Amino acid sequence: MASRRPGSYVCGIDAAVDVIGGKWKVLILWELAKRPHRFGELRRLLPGVTEKVLASHLRQLEDDDVVHREVFDEVPPRVEYSLTTRGVTLNEALEPLGLWGQRNVIERAG
C-alpha cells in the first residue's frame, strides 16, 4: 500500500480515510463494485469529475492496491479498472457508512 503519510497515522480510521479521501474515490469504488469499467464509462457515470482528477484518483487507488488496472492487448488498446480483493473489503467496510448516510442524511432531508 502506498502510504502518503508514513508513520503519521493516529488510528486505523485515519489510515482508511487517507486511502478514500476526496469526493470521488468512494464513488469510483461504488461503481467498480458493480462491475469492471473502462475510463470513459467511469467518467460518464460520475458527472462533474474531470479527466485529470479521475486519472489521478485511479492511480492513487491502484497504488494503494484497491483498484486493478488491466491493459488488454488489442487494437485500439482497451483498459479496464476493477476492484482488487483489498478494494472489495474496503467497500464492505464502507457499506455501514453508506447505510448511515441513507438513513440519517438522505431520508431526513426528504
Side-chain angles (χ1 to χ4, degrees), residues 39 43 49-60:
F39 185 88
R43 186 136 187 257
V49 69
T50 65
E51 192 169 312
K52 180 179 176 180
V53 168
L54 180 58
S56 172
H57 283 350
L58 285 168
R59 271 193 303 278
Q60 290 170 7

Side-chain angles (χ1 to χ4, degrees), residues 59-97:
R59 271 193 303 278
Q60 290 170 7
L61 290 167
E62 188 179 0
D63 289 345
D64 287 330
D65 192 30
V66 174
V67 168
H68 172 71
R69 180 180 186 266
E70 185 170 359
V71 180
F72 293 88
D73 189 21
E74 300 175 356
V75 178
R78 177 171 56 109
V79 177
E80 282 188 353
Y81 296 90
S82 60
L83 293 179
T84 62
T85 302
R86 187 180 297 227
V88 170
T89 61
L90 179 55
N91 260 358
E92 290 169 354
L94 290 170
E95 190 173 347
L97 186 60

